[in-house]
Amino acid sequence: MSKRKLEENVETKERIAKRNRTTDNGGLDKKADPASGVVSTTSNPKETPGEDASAQKAARKQARKQAKRERRRLGDKQKGQELSKSESREEKQKRFHSSWKVSNSVGGYLLNLDPVFSKDEKHLILAKKSSVLIYSTLTSLLVRTIQTSRSSHVSGFALSPKDPSHLYISTNSGSIDKWNWVDGGKLGKWSISSQIYGLAVLQTPSPQRGNDTVYTIDKKEQWRITAHCLWGRPDADKTELHTLLKSPDPFTALKVLDGGKIIVASSGKRLTIGHDSNSGNVTLKKLSYVWREIQCPEWITSVGIHIPDNSHNTHDQISKARVKSIRSVDIAIGGLNGLILVYRDILEKLIQNQRPHNKGLFTSQRLHWHRNEVVALQWSADGNYLISGGYETVLVLWQLETGKKQFLPHLSAPVKNVLVSPSGSSYAIILADNSAMVISTAELQPTFSIQGISTPISIKDALPSPHVPTVNNSQEDSTTVYLPRTPAIVSPLSSEQLLLAVPAPSGSQSGYDQPSGGFFLQSLDARTGNQTSCQALTRTNTTTHNIGPEGNRIQAPQVTHLAVSTDAQWLVTVDEWMPPQEDLRPFFLDADLAEEQLSRLETHLNFWSWNEAIKSWELSSKVDNPHSEGSGMNRVFGRVFNLISNPAIPQFVTIGDDGFSRSWEPRKRTRNGIQVRDLLGKPLFNWRCRAFTALHLVNEGVDATKDHIISKLAFSADGSLLVASLPYSSQSTSLYMINHLNNKVERIHSSLISGYCKGLGIVFKYMVVLSDDLVVWDLVMGCVQFKKTLNDYGLSANHRLGATYLAVDQAHQTYAVAIPTITKSSHNLTRRETTLTIHDPEEQDPAYCLFETSIPGTLTALLPMPSSTEGYYTINSAAELRTVTHTSTISTRLSPEPLASTATLASAPALSGLETIYGTGSTEPAATLLAPDGADDATDSSPSQQPPPSSDHRIHLPHYEPPPVLHQHQLTELFDSINVHATSVEDMFLQVARLVVGRRGENK
């Protein structure tokens, strides 16, 4: 937009403001537009007699501020240089894109790969989606990050046996990188023509090359175990490979031992052991193995291998070993149902079992304690113990000679990986809540610990692994991208702290049966992606036996919504729980189980206060089923669709199944007229529904058990305007524009939303609506500023519903839109990305945006950054946190003017209403009612009779005073002075009401 055009717009808006100042807001002519479905009212120009001079002066001052705001916006866009009229759209886009940047990811999900200790055990190496991290075991600090290609995923890593400072990293795209992890230098890169799913490294059998031999699990038409000889420089991109074994079924584990002479691989219920049949060093092409198989009774989920040390054997034992020329190998196998099989000297027994007269000598030791699959299994360094872990959040130490067990219980999450250090003095453990620790073997105490982001993740985004069909996951869907949204907010206590509602870790490997919502409140450092604190928000069953008689998991309530007050003293959560259908099936054989399940929904609205002494949130009030009405067959389900915090005062608004928007405010807790305080003298508060506005009940055309009911809420910056979206049927959604000062619906839109409403926000004077279309509505002019139909990229409506986001930055007047996409890489791999665009609400060109980028994976949260920084936080399905920020640390864009006080707004008639916000038009106000707590405030018979916000002491917490309290002796005197038997109930009520009014007048 040119400078001249912007100045003309400013002059036009000044004329409109001047006209509105001379308009009588009381005369409104109703009009209906059948095309748009909007019922509107038009102002009738009429001079206002006796208009207060101070009010006119305040209105003119506000108009001058508006004009100054527009001029400053123009100067910021030009930034000291005049825009040429001939500037193309591409040049304009490029110029603005250069002002934004995307940070490198922090956090990320720890992959299900065994960690690696350095030779001196001073460092621990872990892997995430597209990076390998080196931590110091002494300080638990990150020492170095090795970044791989962002378009691929790490599938394996291993240290070089020749030089322990060299690290090999494989990716699913078929590349193998060699790094010096000590100084961070890259030493080489090799590419093969197949996908890699596992990696092991040994010194090459050909000493003249002086390189390492890399063994991989890869897939090219069939699953293969392949040996690679990677050439050094100057031919660092050349490889020599030899396929050792092929299988139509996927290999799930690969172990290479004894200098490559023994290879162990698992596939389903089969354990395959290969023994090198060659003697001495041979070239790669001449490598050959004799393969033998063991059929196990259960699906193999983990394998542990130990080669006994022969240095302590007697002379006769060494002589016998030389005769048979086969190393003794001990193998432990963990099964899907918790069974552990231990085979001693398995290779020798397999060879002997092939002879006819030795049939039946092949036996194993059976161990069973785990209720579910054995996820991790390792041998101790001396071979006398087994260490196992699984979903029980318990580490089990098995003494093999005696069969005794030792437990390390009450871990924070299920165990995913266990590794014994080279010296055997410590265990490295990776847990399912995205944490890792190192435990000493002597005291079983942690000496190292890190905790990352615990949001739900997609295993396909974290590590493409062979598909294992189970009862709940029988087929592989490569296009599934839907993940539950993570309730998340930016903490007002710290600009670099995020609050996330994260689920209790289930340890599930599928990644898609994880619960939506959360059980814990995780405080996250946005700079490092590490957890700073965590507390439970609902009842949890992390370490108890939470399995029912039928084997189904007992579910805890899930937090679905999260909000915090502007003063950072109050946190509000919504949690829901319903009985599983398996528990209802015996009682309702012919009924609709989904409807019966919803009818037993339990919803809780929880108010938490911040305790500075213990640095934690404490539960202050709890409201059961805040949006449930009726009983029996007429009872509504009572779900809370959305929750939002008022940006101007400590107040929260909810919208739910009953078709009402409810406002919740604090009130000081009193007992016998005396204020109640805690042990530290801090006043205690109760929360109540101050008022609610009737919108509409969800139409019968919406099937609550099948259709998604999505409702959004948005506040203006000063808290005077509340916008709510609520589905009217399965095909339409209505937008309600509510004057929050008197809780009246001023206007209803029925044509701005196409499909589901996925996002709603207010930026300056614009309302942003995200559905199948992106619409920007000018609240002042009452017209569409911008409209664009979004690309669905071939995704279903449910997928787009769960992964499409809108975030609004009111401080810097921008908004961001995130849309999921699916692409195919050159290796025919499905790659999930999210297209993130940042917009200026005043822009009218649909093809233009301030910035556009691609974020790997599917987003689970999109948040605006604090007011001091212009930008947004993103969290994706691999638990990676990124920031998209403007290059200037302190934005030169105009920040909104300081919010006027409620008293100032009330004293200016020309600006006290919503006429200048809604433009032309309003509907008949919907029914607006008071909350059913009339016993507390008997004089509040309707919202229109409420005192103006300037006199309502409830909205100013620093000067918070409770409403007048009637003492018991006052009511006693009143009822003693009247004849109770001769006076009607109405008369007694009026006398009590007069007493309350008198008390209120005394306070005023």
Side-chain angles (χ1 to χ4, degrees), residues 570-645:
W570 297 100
L571 173 75
V572 179
T573 62
V574 177
D575 63 71
E576 297 179 351
W577 180 87
M578 64 179 68
Q581 294 187 7
E582 291 78 6
D583 293 349
L584 300 177
R585 186 171 285 108
F587 304 98
F588 304 96
L589 298 178
D590 299 329
D592 186 353
L593 291 181
E595 185 173 353
E596 293 293 339
Q597 188 182 27
L598 269 178
S599 66
R600 286 160 175 79
L601 176 70
E602 297 179 8
T603 306
H604 306 284
L605 183 65
N606 305 305
F607 297 89
W608 308 74
S609 62
W610 176 252
N611 190 322
E612 184 65 26
I614 62 176
K615 303 294 183 181
S616 180
W617 297 96
E618 293 182 335
L619 185 62
S620 175
S621 301
K622 185 173 185 177
V623 181
D624 296 336
N625 300 316
H627 283 272
S628 178
E629 288 188 351
S631 61
M633 298 298 294
N634 298 323
R635 177 180 178 268
V636 297
F637 295 133
R639 290 168 295 183
V640 176
F641 296 146
N642 212 331
L643 166 70
I644 192 173
S645 172

Side-chain angles (χ1 to χ4, degrees), residues 909-924:
L911 300 175
S912 60
L914 296 177
E915 294 81 3
T916 59
I917 295 180
Y918 296 113
T920 57
S922 69
T923 71
E924 290 290 342

Side-chain angles (χ1 to χ4, degrees), residues 521-533:
L521 180 68
Q522 183 181 44
S523 298
L524 197 69
D525 188 341
R527 297 167 299 180
T528 62
N530 293 330
Q531 172 183 294
T532 57
S533 65

